[in-house]
Amino acid sequence: MTFLPRARARRGIAALTLLATALLAACAPSEPSGSDGGGSGAAKDTLVVGLPGSLSSLDPAVEGGILNYYVAAISAEGLLGVAADGKLQPAIAESWKTPDAKTYVFQIRKDARFSDGTPVTVDDVLYSLDRARDPVASPSTASYWPELTVAQTGAQEVTITLAQPNVTFLSTVTNAGALWITSRAYGEKHSPAGTSGAPGLGSGPYKAVEFAPDSHATFAADDTWWGGPARYKTVRFDFIPDENTRLLARRSGDIDIALNVPLDQVDAWKGAGDTDVLFASDHSYVGLQLDQDVKPFDDVHVRRAIAHAVDRDAIVTSILHGHGEPALGFPTPEQLGAVVGEDEANSLLAGLPQLGFDLDAAKAELAQSSVPGGFSAELAYPATGPQLGKAALALAENLKTIGIDLKVTEVPIEQWITSLDDETRGLHYTWYFSTTGDPGEVIGWYLRPDNPYGYRNPKVAQSLTDASTETDPKARVADIIAANTQANTDVAAIPLWWGQAATAVAHDLKVDEYTPYLFLGAWPNAITVR
């Protein structure tokens, strides 16, 4: 969340609930998640959401932070969507089928309209698919797309044919993945969109009417939405990077909801007056990524030294206040558990090779390295993730005792996202929020053959290739665990923790189905007045 971007630190589509849906060539529930037509309980005109940072773009394809996804979800749709339970559901495509492992056929609904009143046409879908795969137009998400061809195969039909089978492909065409459908006319006139002058055009329940990057974004109800009336007349996102200011805004009633409440301030938020704090696993993975194209991180002894200097148990206890657990690998227990069961998931993760907290071992590894006298490095973290900063400072103290000088730097979320592309830095934070329950989502991004961190291992590459084509869910989990086992052995990354999200909500509001997927759909319709 905050919230980490999906490309290069990215979020960040539904365990094998999603996979199973895909393989069944499903036609998911006909009503959007949280939709009841905006009827009962809609006694409030404006819903105000306080975000812990600013957005530089309303287009997730341009700026891929998870907050961008949450904001875009109320106005922009993909071919499919993700329901609050993580299952795929119809969006611009009212149904779909998979005749074979490489072919995906979508029926485009006739009743879909953009918020300017124009119909959503097959040509608009084809344009949006091309735009989504263009690295210039969609720099944050273009790499999510496999090699494929797209064609209109009927009056309201679009067929996508993959070069190679990919069992999780359907997640890519959701607005929680890498597709936000807009009209060809709007897109060709406004490039880039998502700006204050051109905030975007979508087909969801709300339309962007105002965007001030350092202040707020305002959305108005769109009465053209195929899913029915929106619950609120207006949804406003206020960008409040200072946590004390955001807390005061809730106390004064200026905001109704606060996303990503700092875990060390939960008690203060609970005492903010008529405020509830909700917790849920957010399927987030936090870790350290070590760029092996940058010295001295190409040295496994350096990577082992850093790994031994991480006290994950202390981080979870003292910094996360128990709202999370030490990460043993890339997939979360919930993601694996949805496929193989909770006990088996915990057993598989516990079996992954680990380098525990041991400063003597860390010192010994550094002594065997190419830099036995130590070295200096920098680790940046986003201002929206204070827990990342505290964990980095704790690590810096430990590293100092073995001769490594780690400079910890706080930067605005927009600057941090940009810094992830800095190839001169060898040490990066990974803050990835899975938007599906797919256990291969995170590892598939970070350890793919063309990953940006210089990690190359043929065994891992083969395991991930096998996982992308394996249709048996349990066999696929075995491939993912095999890749993670080798990656841990190589110290390709240093897992830190799997997290929880805390959301503060005014007591007079009720949130239906508070799950990791809630904010990836038409979520204001799931928030009612008590």
Side-chain angles (χ1 to χ4, degrees), residues 373-392:
F375 62 95
S376 298
E378 182 179 3
L379 179 60
Y381 73 94
T384 49
Q387 67 273 29
L388 276 72
K390 292 179 179 180

Side-chain angles (χ1 to χ4, degrees), residues 40-56:
S40 62
K44 186 178 179 68
D45 286 342
T46 300
L47 183 71
V48 184
V49 183
L51 299 185
S54 183
L55 307 182
S56 63

Side-chain angles (χ1 to χ4, degrees), residues 2-3 47-53 67 70 236-238 240 242-243 245-251 254-262 265-266 269-270 272 275-279 501-507 509 511 514 519 523 527:
T2 181
F3 300 114
L47 183 71
V48 184
V49 183
L51 299 185
L67 291 179
Y70 289 171
R236 189 178 79 238
F237 297 91
D238 287 351
I240 312 175
D242 182 78
E243 283 302 333
T245 301
R246 192 161 66 130
L247 180 57
L248 289 173
R250 171 76 283 274
R251 283 176 173 164
D254 290 340
I255 63 173
D256 301 302
I257 296 176
L259 301 182
N260 194 37
V261 169
Q265 291 189 15
V266 165
W269 281 90
K270 287 180 177 179
T275 301
D276 299 321
V277 179
L278 309 178
F279 296 94
T503 302
V505 181
H507 185 63
L509 296 178
V511 180
Y514 182 67
F519 296 107
W523 56 267
I527 300 174

